[in-house]
Amino acid sequence: FVWPTPGYNYITSPFGYRDAPTSGAGTFHGGIDIGAPAGSQIVAAFSGEITYLGFYGANGYTIRVSDGYYTANYSHVSPYFLVYDGQYVNKGDIIGTVGPKNVYGVPNNPYKDSNGNPTNGATTGPHLHFSIRINGEAVNPMNYF
């Protein structure tokens, strides 16, 4: 695998149990959060097919890539997608950018910041939530770099 946020490698929340940072966030964190400014490039950690693009609850705007064995979610991304559903991407291809904290126009978005503005899922600020699943089971992404 290649690191999904070139130039940004600070883990703001590791894989595993934690105190939920926002309302709607889980106490089991099934991925890693990588601190990066909005607009930072996101690359495919491995080659595969884009199998989902859209707003995915607490994950906010999400891009999902699968190679048939691994499935990766790239969450809290920009809603201006750079890829399309069904597209094949190669490891290292730019697939998106880190999204903003606040997003507007998402029907029934229950996630809000302290000012009541809608957020990009359960988030306190721009970052990439990166998760990997094998057969539907969350695994620690740090074991694959």
Side-chain angles (χ1 to χ4, degrees), residues 75-116:
S75 298
H76 310 299
V77 303
S78 170
Y80 303 105
F81 296 118
L82 303 179
V83 291
Y84 57 88
D85 196 32
Q87 179 180 349
Y88 185 86
V89 295
N90 291 304
K91 179 170 67 172
D93 284 354
I94 297 168
I95 60 170
T97 59
V98 173
K101 173 184 174 183
N102 299 106
V103 295
Y104 299 88
V106 178
N108 304 311
N109 180 1
Y111 303 99
K112 309 272 189 268
D113 65 16
S114 60
N115 296 318

Side-chain angles (χ1 to χ4, degrees), residues 8-101:
Y8 299 96
N9 59 8
Y10 182 70
I11 306 297
T12 59
S13 186
F15 180 86
Y17 287 95
R18 65 178 183 175
D19 290 330
T22 65
S23 175
T27 55
F28 178 77
H29 192 225
I32 58 173
D33 289 348
I34 305 166
S40 301
Q41 291 182 342
I42 299 168
V43 301
F46 57 88
S47 300
E49 181 182 347
I50 304 294
T51 59
Y52 179 84
L53 297 169
F55 196 84
Y56 194 62
N59 289 297
Y61 283 103
T62 296
I63 299 168
R64 183 174 299 141
V65 176
S66 179
D67 70 357
Y69 182 73
Y70 298 109
T71 298
N73 278 348
Y74 303 79
S75 298
H76 310 299
V77 303
S78 170
Y80 303 105
F81 296 118
L82 303 179
V83 291
Y84 57 88
D85 196 32
Q87 179 180 349
Y88 185 86
V89 295
N90 291 304
K91 179 170 67 172
D93 284 354
I94 297 168
I95 60 170
T97 59
V98 173
K101 173 184 174 183

